[in-house]
Amino acid sequence: MKILLPMLFIGTMMTAQVSNIVRHQDSYKDFPFEGVRIVQVDEVNSPDSEDNVFIFSKIEKGAKPDKMTFQRFTKIGGEWKVKAKKQIEHAGIISSWGQRKSFADYDKDKSIDALFIYSLNDYDFKQQSVHLIFSKNAEFYEISTSAESGYSKDVYSDNFKNLPENIKNEILEYWNKLDKE
């Protein structure tokens, strides 16, 4: 299953003609992100259509409370512009799950659809909750669940219901297969 799932996402990326460019994080040190340090960066493009850079950045190590900013940059007129931004603040530690992500163009609108996972933890690194953030155009949609509920009760952002059914189904399929513990 651990091998099959990544292969399915690679297959999805290839069918949707999405390219994911991997560079060292230092390549983005002059990029206009908000945090002090990059914890995750993904450059994802739709050929002949759209160039994107997704950056999770954080404040100084050890700062309390922890703060992470997620930004979606899109190249417009040769310049990188912030298309969407979300700040997360937590009295504990915020962890980006760098290997848990997916890129596609589910509705074939030539704009990248991307999903990422992060968790909120206490200062002893005991996980408190898991969150999925889905980026479509200039909007973010979210699903979360908590350790307190035994990861059995999902909470959706208010705008999640506005997504087309086929996209909701793709996201929920990913979410339901994710090992949240």
Side-chain angles (χ1 to χ4, degrees), residues 33-39 56-70 87-94 123:
F33 64 93
E34 280 195 17
V36 172
R37 57 195 171 96
I38 293 175
V39 293
F56 281 94
S57 61
K58 291 182 84 173
I59 56 177
E60 298 83 7
K61 271 188 176 180
K64 294 181 182 180
D66 198 6
K67 187 186 287 186
M68 184 166 66
T69 303
F70 176 62
Q87 286 193 323
I88 303 143
E89 190 171 305
H90 178 62
I93 300 166
I94 305 166
Y123 286 116

Side-chain angles (χ1 to χ4, degrees), residues 11 17-18 30 33 35 42 49 58 64 66 84-85 88 97 102 116 118 133 135 140 157 167 170 176:
Q17 296 189 12
V18 171
D30 295 325
F33 64 93
D42 291 281
S49 180
K58 291 182 84 173
K64 294 181 182 180
D66 198 6
K85 175 179 91 168
I88 303 143
W97 293 18
S102 177
F116 302 91
Y118 69 92
I133 186 167
S135 176
F140 290 134
S157 60
I167 295 176
E170 294 284 348
N176 292 330

